[in-house]
Amino acid sequence: MGSTLRTRGLKSGAASIALLPPDERAAFLDGLSNNALASLPWLFDFWALEHQVPPVGKWRTWVILGGRGAGKTRAGAEWVRAQVEGPRALQPGLCRRVALVGETYEQVRDVMIEGQSGILACSPPDRRPVWKATQRKLVWPNGAEAQAYSAHDPEALRGPQFDAAWVDELAKWKRGAETWDNLQFCLRLGDDPRVVVTTTPRNVEVLKDVLARPSTVSTHAPTEANRAHLADSFLEEVRAKYAGTRLGRQELDGVLLEDMEGAFWTTAMLDALRVDDLPVFDRVVVGVDPAVSSGGASDETGIVVVGVVTQGAPKDWRAWVLEDASVSAASPSKWAAAVAGAYDRWGAHRVVAEGNQGGEMIEAVLRQVAPMVSYRKVTARQAKGVRAEPVAALYEQGRVRHARGLARLEDQMCRMGATGFQGRGSPDRVDALVWALWEAMLDPVRQRSGPRMRLL
């Protein structure tokens, strides 16, 4: 079967069957023997999604990062099957001693072993292991065994030895580093002991350390990748609530989000600011941090829209971050068009753009696209972290809220602190946010309180 599908140039059996014309699909299935048809549901290589297939090459640890419901558990269970099962039910496989490690013994049993995507559900009748609950052990017909362990009891991993391991939800473990280290000393049987980690990513040191090792490989998939096996109502609900949020990036997209120590903003802080209902704004500002070059290697042009309600005294003013319209690798005319589009969508009153590099050219390019735009150039005279600090203070005072859809901006925010930005590239989105909030919330107050001060 596999060779037939590969000749068609298709990646996996499930995708291949779905993509074939109806007559070819029927002909392919009709050409299989009864025995082949009966075995087809148990051939995971035929049905697996791309992120569920073990990477080729030499590796010690395979980390499967994914959103909720992305098929991580099924991938882990099928990998264990592939290690312990032989060509026939009673013949040995590659491994005979496997560790199954979860957050608790109950989760190992309920998810990894007895769950709908667990080992028992994935195993064909003639190779299905027996779960011996009192011993916390799975035993296969060919004599292979898998022992259950809890991350709450890392000392239990002192002494035993294995030739394979499956670790589930490593990023949730409270004693993750200790348990992981003990497991490594146990993986000493056979010629090539390996471990598979299935987890939704979290910003924890043990996961980051594992991913950073040269012997680690990883695959990744969002929840959407497994949508054929998920309820439509589930996807609709979680999309509506979490799409465009940092929590959604982690739990649905399976992206590892790193909050920098000492950052002005954290994931928890930003998720608490999320709002769905917006007021009528007294003023709307588009902040811009233009890229100084164009092409594939250029920085992004940060474009962030902020609305502000200025009723009452300045201390009562409130701001809402409405949109991150930033563009990547864009020519000046393209980012200018993106700025003009955001200006029109929100009925903005002002565009404020950093002019340290580009000078008058920035306004000239923008006016070619939008001649009537209200524009102000600002000049940065302090480091990025220093000029972001007063804006961070607005958040601490509870005076800024966020609309949905700002996940990439928020990623940068969680890596910005007093010492600057800790991340790849330039924090163009954060810079644009800072300029917009200075123009909307801080600079007008300075103008009221005395002689005009140059913006930063």
Side-chain angles (χ1 to χ4, degrees), residues 50-93:
E50 190 171 355
H51 70 280
Q52 296 173 314
V53 178
V56 297
K58 187 174 179 59
W59 48 266
R60 167 84 168 183
T61 304
W62 171 28
V63 180
I64 307 173
L65 297 172
R68 301 283 189 94
K72 304 183 296 297
T73 302
R74 178 69 185 272
E78 293 285 0
W79 182 81
V80 170
R81 276 192 59 207
Q83 305 314 299
V84 301
E85 291 180 5
R88 296 183 182 277
L90 299 180
Q91 293 179 343

Side-chain angles (χ1 to χ4, degrees), residues 303-315:
I303 305 169
V304 174
V305 184
V306 168
V308 61
V309 174
T310 58
Q311 303 301 314
K315 66 181 179 62

Side-chain angles (χ1 to χ4, degrees), residues 264-265 269-270 273 285-290 301-307 319-326 352-354 378 384 387-395 399-403 406 408-414 416 427-442 455-456:
F264 291 140
W265 299 275
M269 176 194 300
L270 294 174
L273 301 178
V285 175
V286 181
V288 182
D289 183 63
T301 290
I303 305 169
V304 174
V305 184
V306 168
W320 283 256
V321 183
L322 305 175
E323 182 183 1
D324 176 7
S326 303
V352 56
E354 181 180 324
V378 291
K384 295 178 185 294
R387 66 176 182 262
E389 196 160 1
V391 171
L394 295 175
Y395 282 81
R399 298 173 61 192
V400 185
R401 294 288 182 268
H402 278 207
L406 304 174
R408 295 188 66 185
L409 165 63
E410 293 169 352
D411 287 350
Q412 287 192 357
M413 294 173 70
C414 291
M416 175 67 80
D428 310 277
R429 298 166 191 262
V430 177
D431 282 346
L433 170 75
V434 168
W435 292 126
L437 283 172
W438 264 97
E439 175 70 19
M441 294 281 283
L442 297 172
L455 192 60
L456 293 184

Side-chain angles (χ1 to χ4, degrees), residues 145-158:
E145 297 181 353
Q147 190 73 46
Y149 292 91
S150 166
H152 287 308
D153 184 18
E155 292 301 308
L157 284 164
R158 290 185 179 273

Side-chain angles (χ1 to χ4, degrees), residues 184-398:
Q184 301 315 298
F185 289 112
C186 297
L187 289 168
R188 55 181 185 260
L189 293 181
D191 297 329
D192 186 22
R194 293 181 170 189
V195 56
V196 165
V197 178
T198 53
T199 189
T200 299
R202 287 187 180 180
N203 183 32
V204 294
E205 289 302 317
V206 63
L207 178 59
K208 292 190 290 185
D209 287 346
V210 171
L211 288 170
R213 292 175 183 171
S215 59
T216 296
V217 295
S218 65
T219 56
H220 165 266
T223 299
E224 287 280 346
N226 199 35
R227 60 186 177 276
H229 302 287
L230 301 172
D232 289 340
S233 59
F234 163 76
L235 290 173
E236 291 171 4
E237 183 70 18
V238 295
R239 283 189 201 121
K241 188 170 183 179
Y242 300 110
T245 69
R246 276 180 64 82
L247 185 61
R249 292 258 287 162
Q250 173 179 284
E251 300 295 324
L252 299 180
D253 296 338
V255 176
L256 178 58
L257 305 176
E258 298 188 50
D259 288 2
M260 182 186 80
E261 185 175 352
F264 291 140
W265 299 275
T266 67
T267 297
M269 176 194 300
L270 294 174
D271 282 339
L273 301 178
R274 201 88 53 215
V275 294
D276 291 311
D277 298 324
L278 302 175
V280 176
F281 298 109
D282 298 311
R283 196 159 181 256
V284 176
V285 175
V286 181
V288 182
D289 183 63
V292 298
S293 61
S294 60
S298 70
D299 293 329
E300 296 176 316
T301 290
I303 305 169
V304 174
V305 184
V306 168
V308 61
V309 174
T310 58
Q311 303 301 314
K315 66 181 179 62
D316 297 321
W317 293 2
R318 296 292 183 269
W320 283 256
V321 183
L322 305 175
E323 182 183 1
D324 176 7
S326 303
V327 290
S328 301
S331 66
S333 61
K334 289 182 179 179
W335 65 248
V339 173
Y343 187 88
D344 289 341
R345 276 193 301 278
W346 293 98
H349 300 83
R350 174 68 64 88
V351 171
V352 56
E354 181 180 324
N356 286 45
Q357 301 185 65
E360 303 304 322
M361 181 273 291
I362 296 170
E363 182 177 4
V365 171
L366 181 58
R367 293 204 181 281
Q368 288 177 4
V369 177
M372 302 305 293
V373 69
S374 174
Y375 174 82
R376 179 186 176 199
K377 182 184 78 172
V378 291
T379 303
R381 299 193 179 278
Q382 293 175 299
K384 295 178 185 294
V386 175
R387 66 176 182 262
E389 196 160 1
V391 171
L394 295 175
Y395 282 81
E396 293 174 359
Q397 296 162 7

